[in-house]
C-alpha cells in the first residue's frame, strides 16, 4: 500500500496537493459549523430567551455567513471527489500500460508457468480493486486524518477532561479496527487467489470446450468448477464477515463515547469547582452541545475508515499481485551483435538442456548445417523435437554447449535481430483480430498489399481467401474461428512467407491440412523453403523425404542422422517409425 501511495504521488502530486487543500477547506468548514453551535447557544439563543424584545438581525447575519462557509465546503468536497476520479482512472491507465509492457518483455517460460486466466485476472479484478481504493478510500483517509487533527485541537480548546475521554475511546476503536483488519487480510488474499483460479478455469474450459464435449466431461467440469467456486465463496464470506464486524463494533463504541461525554460533561458542568492538576475547568451548556458534536466528528473518521477496510484490504492484496507482475524478471538479452546479412548457418555443439535444472531433456546434441539446407527432426512423442526448435529461437537458453548462428554464439546476438532473421510456423496457429491482409502482414509490417497477396499465392492460400465474403479485407475474430483449421494454418504459412527470412522453422506446419490441401500447398512450401535454411518437424514422409538431413531423436539424444534413403538402409529407428506408420505418406 505504501508503494501504491508513492506511485500515485509520483505521477499526480499536483492533483493530490489540490485534493488535500480542498479536503482541508471542507474539513474546516464542517468544523466551523460544529463550533458555531456553542456560539449560537451561548451568545444568541440564551440571551435572546432572556430579553423581552429580541433582536434577530445579528443572528440572521451570522447564519448567512455560516451558509456561505458551508457552501464553500460543498464546492471543495465536489472538487476533490472529481479530482480523485481523475487520479484513480489515470493511475489505472498507467498501471495497465506498465504491466502490459512488462508482459511483452517476459520470457516464454513465464507463460508456461502461469495460467493465462490468472494473468487476465490481474488486469481486470486486481486493477479494479485498486481503482476503488484510490477513488474512494484514499480520499477518505486524507479527509479522516485532517478531520481528526482539526477536531482534536478544537476539543482541547473546549475541554481537556472531555478530550481525554474521547482519546481513550478512539484508541480502543483503532485497536479493534487494526486487529480485525489483520485477521481478515489473509482471507482477502485467499479470495483474490480463488477469483484468479475461477477465471483461469473458465478460460481453460472455453478454449477446450470441444474436447470437453467429445469426451463427455461436462459433469466433471461442472464438479470441478463447483469446487473452486465454493472456495471463492468461502474465502469471500470469511473476509467480508470479519471486515463487516468492524463498522457495527466501532459504531457502538462511538455511541458509548457519546453517552460518556454527555455524562462526564454534565457532571463537570454541575461541579464548577472541578479541577485536574490544580487547573480549574468550567463547562457551559453550549460547550457540552458543541463537544458532543465534536465527539461524533472525532470518532466518525475512524468509523469511515472501518467502512473502507474491505476495499483497502482487497486493494492491498490486488496491489501485491499487480506489482508482482510488474516486477517479474524480464527476458534477459545480453547479446550485442546485430545480424546485418544473415546467411542462416545454424550449428549445435554439445548442447545439453532442461526446462528445469533437475530434469534434463536434451543430451549432447551436435548438428552441422549449411545455409539453404533443409533439416528435419523426427522421433516419438517427447523425443525433444520441439525443444530443439525453441532453442534455435532462444525461447529458452541452454545449460551447456553452444549454438552458433553464422559462426556467432547465439548468446552474443541480440534476440530481436536473431528472431527477425527467422520465421516460425507453430503447430498451434494463432490469428489476431483484424483483416486477413493484416494477419498476413504481421510477418513484416512494412510489407505492401501486393507482397502479402504474392505470399498468399506462393503457399496456395490465395484461392480460398478470394472466395471469402470480403476477400483480403475479411475480418477475423476469435482467433479466426470463422475459418477452417487448414485455412488458418495456410494464413500462418503465408505470414511466414511475407517475412522473407533466411531461416524458416516449421513445427508441424501442415498438421491441420488434409492430404488434398497439402498437395495444393506442397509446391508453394518447397518454393518458400528454396534457398533458406529450414528446420522441419513433420509426421509425413512427403514433407521430409527430400530434406538434406533427417535427425532422429530418441529420449533427447540423436539416435540417427542422414538422408531419407540412408536412414532406410540402416533399418534402425527411422525405418521402424516409417514402417510402423508413425510417419505416413
Amino acid at each position: 500500500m505504501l508503494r501504491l501511495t508513492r506511485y500515485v504521488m509520483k505521477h499526480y502530486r499536483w492533483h493530490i496537493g489540490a485534493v488535500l487543500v480542498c479536503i482541508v477547506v471542507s474539513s474546516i468548514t464542517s468544523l466551523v459549523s460544529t463550533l458555531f453551535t456553542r456560539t449560537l447557544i451561548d451568545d444568541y439563543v440564551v440571551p435572546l430567551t432572556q430579553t423581552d424584545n429580541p433582536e434577530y438581525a445579528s443572528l440572521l447575519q451570522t447564519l448567512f455567513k455560516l451558509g456561505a462557509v458551508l457552501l464553500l465546503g460543498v464546492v471543495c468536497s465536489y472538487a476533490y471527489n472529481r479530482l480523485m476520479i481523475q487520479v484513480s482512472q489515470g493511475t489505472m491507465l498507467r498501471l495497465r500500460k506498465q504491466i502490459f509492457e512488462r508482459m511483452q518483455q517476459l520470457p516464454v517460460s513465464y507463460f508456461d508457468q502461469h495460467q493465462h486466466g490468472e494473468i487476465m485476472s490481474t488486469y481486470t479484478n486486481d486493477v479494479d480493486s485498486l481503482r476503488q481504493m484510490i477513488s474512494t478510500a484514499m480520499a477518505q483517509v486524507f479527509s479522516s486524518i485532517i478531520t481528526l487533527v482539526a477536531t482534536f485541537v478544537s476539543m482541547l480548546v473546549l475541554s481537556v477532561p472531555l478530550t481525554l475521554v474521547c482519546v481513550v475511546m478512539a484508541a480502543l476503536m483503532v485497536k479493534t479496527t487494526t486487529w480485525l483488519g489483520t485477521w481478515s487480510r489473509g482471507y482477502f488474499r485467499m479470495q483474490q487467489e480463488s477469483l484468479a483460479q475461477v477465471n483461469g478455469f473458465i478460460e481453460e474450459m472455453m478454449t477446450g470446450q470441444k474436447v470437453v464435449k467429445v469426451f463427455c466431461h461436462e459433469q466433471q467440469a461442472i464438479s470441478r468448477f463447483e469446487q473452486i467456486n465454493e472456495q471463492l465463496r468461502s474465502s469471500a464470506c470469511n473476509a467480508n464477515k470479519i471486515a463487516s464486524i468492524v463498522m457495527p463494533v466501532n459504531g457502538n463504541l462511538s455511541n458509548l463515547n457519546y453517552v460518556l461525554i454527555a455524562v462526564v460533561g454534565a457532571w463537570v458542568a454541575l461541579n464548577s469547582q472541578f479541577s485536574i492538576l490544580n487547573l480549574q475547568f468550567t463547562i457551559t451548556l453550549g460547550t457540552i452541545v458543541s463537544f458532543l458534536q465534536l465527539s461524533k466528528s472525532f470518532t466518525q473518521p475512524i468509523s469511515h475508515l472501518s467502512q473502507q477496510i474491505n476495499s483497502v484490504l482487497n486493494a492491498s492484496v490486488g496491489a501485491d499481485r499487480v506489482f508482482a507482475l510488474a516486477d517479474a524478471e524480464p527476458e534477459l538479452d545480453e547479446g550485442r551483435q546485430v545480424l546485418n546479412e544473415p546467411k542462416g548457418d545454424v550449428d549445435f555443439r554439445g548442447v545439453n538442456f532442461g526446462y528445469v535444472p533437475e530434469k534434463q531433456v536434451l543430451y549432447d546434441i551436435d548438428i552441422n548445417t549449411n545455409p539453404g539446407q533443409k533439416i528435419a527432426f523426427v522421433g516419438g512423442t517427447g523425443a525433444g523435437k520441439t525443444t530443439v526448435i525453441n532453442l534455435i529461437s532462444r525461447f529458452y537458453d541452454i545449460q551447456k554447449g553452444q549454438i552458433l548462428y553464422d559462426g556467432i554464439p547465439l548468446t552474443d546476438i541480440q534476440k530481436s535481430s536473431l528472431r527477425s532473421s527467422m520465421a516460425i510456423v507453430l503447430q498451434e496457429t494463432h490469428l489476431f483480430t483484424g483483416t486477413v491482409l493484416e494477419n498476413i502482414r504481421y510477418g513484416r509490417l512494412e510489407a505492401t498489399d501486393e507482397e502479402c497477396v504474392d505470399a498468399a499465392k506462393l503457399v496456395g492460400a490465395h484461392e480460398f481467401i478470394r472466395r471469402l465474403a470480403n476477400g483480403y479485407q475479411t475480418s477475423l475474430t476469435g482467433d479466426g474461428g470463422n475459418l477452417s483449421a487448414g485455412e488458418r494454418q495456410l494464413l500462418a504459412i503465408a505470414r511466414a512467407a511475407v517475412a522473407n527470412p533466411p531461416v524458416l522453422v516449421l513445427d508441424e506446419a501442415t498438421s491441420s491440412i488434409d492430404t488434398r490441401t497439402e498437395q495444393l500447398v506442397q509446391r508453394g512450401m518447397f518454393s518458400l523453403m528454396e534457398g533458406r535454411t529450414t528446420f522441419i518437424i513433420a509426421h509425413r514422409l512427403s514433407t521430409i523425404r527430400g530434406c538434406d538431413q533427417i535427425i532422429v531423436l530418441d529420449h533427447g539424444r540423436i539416435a540417427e542422422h542422414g538422408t531419407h534413403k540412408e536412414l532406410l538402409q540402416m533399418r534402425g529407428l527411422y525405418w521402424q517409425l516409417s514402417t510402423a506408420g508413425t510417419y505416413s505418406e
Side-chain angles (χ1 to χ4, degrees):
M1 295 304 293
L2 288 174
R3 180 175 176 180
L4 178 63
T5 304
R6 288 196 298 268
Y7 187 91
V8 173
M9 293 297 293
K10 176 182 177 182
H11 299 289
Y12 294 96
R13 59 172 63 92
W14 297 112
H15 289 75
I16 297 298
V19 166
L20 290 174
V21 170
C22 290
I23 288 176
V24 168
V25 173
S26 179
S27 299
I28 289 175
T29 57
S30 177
L31 191 62
V32 166
S33 66
T34 302
L35 293 175
F36 177 73
T37 305
R38 178 189 182 188
T39 305
L40 179 67
I41 293 175
D42 293 343
D43 297 348
Y44 292 97
V45 174
V46 173
L48 285 173
T49 58
Q50 295 174 353
T51 181
D52 295 332
N53 297 308
E55 177 59 48
Y56 295 103
S58 60
L59 175 61
L60 291 174
Q61 185 178 5
T62 305
L63 289 174
F64 276 119
K65 290 180 181 178
L66 178 63
V69 170
L70 292 176
L71 181 61
L72 176 63
V74 170
V75 171
C76 287
S77 179
Y78 173 78
Y80 82 68
N81 278 290
R82 284 293 300 268
L83 284 170
M84 287 309 296
I85 291 173
Q86 294 181 21
V87 170
S88 64
Q89 292 297 335
T91 302
M92 297 308 98
L93 176 74
R94 290 177 181 275
L95 276 176
R96 283 192 296 264
K97 180 176 181 291
Q98 181 179 341
I99 61 178
F100 186 81
E101 288 177 351
R102 176 49 58 94
M103 190 177 74
Q104 302 307 309
Q105 300 166 358
L106 296 176
V108 172
S109 58
Y110 182 90
F111 301 97
D112 291 340
Q113 297 165 7
H114 293 79
Q115 214 175 14
H116 294 176
E118 291 187 11
I119 299 175
M120 284 298 302
S121 183
T122 301
Y123 279 94
T124 53
N125 300 313
D126 294 327
V127 169
D128 190 63
S129 70
L130 301 189
R131 178 194 60 77
Q132 295 178 27
M133 197 281 294
I134 294 172
S135 62
T136 306
M138 186 173 283
Q140 190 68 65
V141 169
F142 293 154
S143 178
S144 298
I145 292 173
I146 292 170
T147 301
L148 276 171
V149 173
T151 304
F152 181 70
V153 173
S154 302
M155 289 166 60
L156 281 175
V157 172
L158 288 179
S159 174
V160 173
L162 298 183
T163 302
L164 292 175
V165 176
C166 273
V167 168
V168 171
M169 295 304 296
L172 185 59
M173 294 172 70
V174 169
K175 183 66 176 177
T176 303
T177 302
T178 304
W179 178 66
L180 290 172
T182 304
W183 187 14
S184 61
R185 190 177 189 275
Y187 288 111
F188 273 106
R189 181 179 296 280
M190 291 171 59
Q191 174 188 323
Q192 290 298 95
E193 290 173 353
S194 298
L195 184 58
Q197 287 181 9
V198 168
N199 287 337
F201 186 78
I202 292 173
E203 190 262 348
E204 193 176 71
M205 289 300 102
M206 288 175 65
T207 55
Q209 193 59 222
K210 290 181 180 178
V211 178
V212 172
K213 292 188 179 300
V214 165
F215 290 98
C216 302
H217 278 196
E218 292 91 344
Q219 195 55 50
Q220 288 88 335
I222 292 171
S223 299
R224 174 58 183 156
F225 180 77
E226 287 177 350
Q227 181 182 351
I228 59 176
N229 200 28
E230 172 59 26
Q231 290 176 355
L232 174 59
R233 184 206 64 80
S234 176
S235 56
C237 281
N238 286 328
N240 289 282
K241 178 173 61 180
I242 297 171
S244 298
I245 295 174
V246 178
M247 182 58 187
V249 169
N250 282 340
N252 283 305
L253 289 174
S254 177
N255 292 334
L256 178 60
N257 179 62
Y258 191 86
V259 172
L260 289 174
I261 293 296
V263 172
V264 174
W267 185 80
V268 173
L270 293 173
N271 293 271
S272 56
Q273 301 302 316
F274 179 76
S275 64
I276 297 178
L277 300 176
N278 296 323
L279 296 175
Q280 297 293 326
F281 295 97
T282 57
I283 298 179
T284 65
L285 178 62
T287 301
I288 294 175
V289 175
S290 291
F291 207 96
L292 285 171
Q293 289 182 289
L294 285 174
S295 71
K296 282 291 186 183
S297 298
F298 190 66
T299 57
Q300 194 176 48
I302 302 175
S303 297
H304 285 167
L305 288 175
S306 68
Q307 279 182 305
Q308 298 298 331
I309 193 169
N310 285 24
S311 62
V312 171
L313 292 174
N314 209 19
S316 69
V317 175
D320 282 346
R321 292 166 57 83
V322 169
F323 287 125
L325 178 56
D327 294 339
E329 285 295 325
E331 186 176 23
L332 295 177
D333 187 6
E334 67 281 10
R336 292 293 177 266
Q337 287 194 244
V338 176
L339 298 171
N340 295 317
E341 295 181 3
K343 301 179 180 62
D345 184 1
V346 181
D347 296 322
F348 283 64
R349 294 181 180 175
V351 170
N352 289 345
F353 172 76
Y355 290 102
V356 291
E358 59 272 14
K359 187 176 181 180
Q360 194 167 334
V361 177
L362 296 179
Y363 301 84
D364 198 28
I365 302 298
D366 280 300
I367 302 172
N368 294 310
T369 67
N370 294 317
Q373 280 192 332
K374 302 175 184 63
I375 300 94
F377 296 95
V378 301
T381 302
K385 304 184 296 296
T386 300
T387 300
V388 173
I389 299 301
N390 286 334
L391 297 182
I392 294 172
S393 52
R394 275 200 75 189
F395 289 150
Y396 295 89
D397 284 328
I398 59 178
Q399 281 85 40
K400 184 180 178 182
Q402 206 173 39
I403 303 177
L404 303 177
Y405 189 108
D406 289 352
I408 306 170
L410 241 56
T411 52
D412 294 343
I413 304 172
Q414 288 184 8
K415 286 185 177 179
S416 58
S417 178
L418 171 69
R419 291 170 184 169
S420 63
S421 73
M422 59 179 64
I424 303 176
V425 182
L426 299 172
Q427 183 176 0
E428 296 180 4
T429 304
H430 182 78
L431 300 178
F432 298 92
T433 299
T435 65
V436 170
L437 191 66
E438 288 170 342
N439 270 276
I440 296 175
R441 186 178 282 122
Y442 201 85
R444 183 163 55 91
L445 295 179
E446 64 274 13
T448 64
D449 291 356
E450 291 74 18
E451 288 175 322
C452 293
V453 173
D454 289 342
K457 288 179 178 178
L458 179 66
V459 301
H462 178 71
E463 288 303 317
F464 92 81
I465 294 174
R466 196 167 52 84
R467 291 194 298 268
L468 295 176
N470 297 309
Y472 284 86
Q473 298 304 320
T474 301
S475 295
L476 303 179
T477 56
D479 201 13
N482 49 338
L483 301 177
S484 69
E487 290 170 341
R488 293 169 66 244
Q489 197 79 316
L490 284 172
L491 287 184
I493 297 170
R495 186 164 59 195
V498 81
N500 195 26
V503 176
L504 184 64
V505 178
L506 305 174
D507 185 0
E508 297 285 3
T510 57
S511 61
S512 299
I513 301 175
D514 57 60
T515 305
R516 184 172 180 275
T517 307
E518 186 184 22
Q519 291 173 353
L520 296 174
V521 79
Q522 197 74 263
R523 183 181 303 171
M525 286 285 293
F526 285 128
S527 298
L528 177 61
M529 290 186 284
E530 191 65 37
R532 293 184 173 90
T533 304
T534 307
F535 295 93
I536 306 169
I537 297 176
H539 280 101
R540 287 178 181 164
L541 291 178
S542 56
T543 308
I544 63 178
R545 192 196 306 263
C547 290
D548 300 291
Q549 288 190 64
I550 299 176
I551 297 171
V552 184
L553 293 171
D554 183 34
H555 295 94
R557 301 179 187 274
I558 296 179
E560 300 167 358
H561 68 89
T563 64
H564 172 70
K565 185 176 180 180
E566 290 170 348
L567 291 174
L568 286 179
Q569 289 174 348
M570 291 181 189
R571 299 182 71 82
L573 183 57
Y574 180 79
W575 178 81
Q576 293 174 16
L577 290 171
S578 60
T579 55
T582 304
Y583 283 80
S584 61
E585 293 291 339

